[in-house]
Amino acid sequence: MKRKFTVTALLVFFLGLSPEILSQSAGINFMMGFPQGDFKKSINRLGFGAEGFVTLWTVKPSIPFTLGVDGSFMTYGSESRNEPFSTTIPDVTVDVSRTNNIVNFHLLLQIMPPAGSIRPYIEGLWGGSYLYTQTQINSQGNVDKEVASSTNFDDWAWNYGGGGGLLIKVHDMKNDEDGTGSRWKVSSIWIDLKARYLLGSEAEYLKEGSMRIEQGRVLFTPSKSHTDLITAHLGVIIQFD
């Protein structure tokens, strides 16, 4: 009941904001992940992926911060092999690939100066990570033709953290002079450079070599640790009026 009340209160607050405040921004970027602490001892390799976010309003002189939601996907390991399609159809070969992935979901707070073509900022994040390993079968030599897939192992970790970055304006857009067009008009485009540190709770996960097949059975050797992670990002942000 308490959680339901909290979610309802937040929705009422956000929906009650005036249209003048709700000028949004949205961004997408390429990211690299660097496991830290025990997570690094277990994996000890870079992750690669993408991150995107939207904010509820663009920072203004009267409101030097913004709130939003953030999500990212990162792969931190993969394996592939060729196998016969089945014991009864050994003359058809398929590509078998396995990936170890992390999906992050966060509530986002950003604080930055409201003016200038170069804007440093800081941010805070709170949310969680979904760690999972997936095996996929594709027609041989055709990665776009999936035959079947399955999630082999998954777990959840809570995390929070912070970071900082730099916005560099690269283009200003002109508004529709006659007042026509969509409600949300693109006002500017920015390059986004940033880094984050996420402190994650314990989770179980697979890495390369954690799955093996013996006598037709799949055996798992999961690792368990905190899931601390540093990420570096390069991307683009669009701001709307």
Side-chain angles (χ1 to χ4, degrees):
M1 179 66 70
K2 183 177 180 181
R3 179 178 297 180
K4 183 177 180 180
F5 173 80
T6 302
V7 172
T8 303
L10 288 172
L11 286 174
V12 170
F13 170 75
F14 290 139
L15 292 175
L17 294 174
S18 68
E20 288 76 15
I21 292 177
L22 286 175
S23 54
Q24 301 171 318
S25 64
I28 187 169
N29 56 69
F30 167 77
M31 62 178 276
M32 294 188 297
F34 306 83
Q36 300 296 302
D38 292 338
F39 200 29
K40 179 178 180 180
K41 293 177 184 177
S42 178
I43 295 177
N44 196 28
R45 63 168 298 160
L46 289 176
F48 298 92
E51 176 251 351
F53 71 92
V54 294
T55 64
L56 292 175
W57 63 83
T58 300
V59 170
K60 295 176 171 60
S62 59
I63 310 176
F65 68 91
T66 186
L67 300 175
V69 291
D70 177 278
S72 65
F73 172 85
M74 185 182 77
T75 295
Y76 64 88
S78 63
E79 303 172 72
S80 61
R81 66 184 190 277
N82 297 322
E83 294 280 358
F85 186 72
S86 71
T87 56
T88 58
I89 314 177
D91 50 333
V92 175
T93 303
V94 294
D95 295 331
V96 182
S97 60
R98 183 180 300 126
T99 56
N100 304 310
N101 311 294
I102 302 176
V103 178
N104 287 313
F105 307 92
H106 292 111
L107 298 176
L108 173 67
L109 165 69
Q110 286 185 341
I111 302 173
M112 71 177 71
S117 58
I118 298 178
R119 302 185 189 178
Y121 65 89
I122 58 175
E123 58 184 11
L125 303 106
W126 183 88
S129 299
Y130 175 62
L131 297 89
Y132 72 99
T133 295
Q134 183 178 62
T135 298
Q136 180 174 303
I137 299 174
N138 293 82
S139 297
Q140 189 174 29
N142 189 350
V143 295
D144 295 324
K145 188 158 182 153
E146 180 181 320
V147 177
S149 65
S150 180
T151 298
N152 310 114
F153 193 92
D154 62 355
D155 201 1
W156 173 266
W158 296 104
N159 60 33
Y160 66 94
L166 193 67
L167 294 182
I168 304 171
K169 185 183 289 188
V170 293
H171 194 60
D172 270 320
M173 309 293 288
K174 292 182 179 179
N175 293 329
D176 295 335
E177 294 182 358
D178 58 0
T180 62
S182 90
R183 177 186 178 188
W184 307 112
K185 301 180 181 68
V186 175
S187 63
S188 55
I189 300 175
W190 305 70
I191 296 296
D192 184 22
L193 300 168
K194 65 185 173 188
R196 294 171 169 173
Y197 196 117
L198 297 174
L199 298 169
S201 64
E202 279 193 340
E204 288 189 306
Y205 51 88
L206 301 182
K207 57 184 180 179
E208 293 178 34
S210 293
M211 284 181 60
R212 64 186 189 277
I213 301 173
E214 294 184 2
Q215 299 179 349
R217 297 174 55 203
V218 180
L219 303 177
F220 303 102
T221 308
S223 300
K224 184 176 182 179
S225 72
H226 286 276
T227 51
D228 298 351
L229 188 69
I230 289 178
T231 59
H233 306 249
L234 171 62
V236 175
I237 288 179
I238 298 175
Q239 291 187 345
F240 301 90
D241 282 334

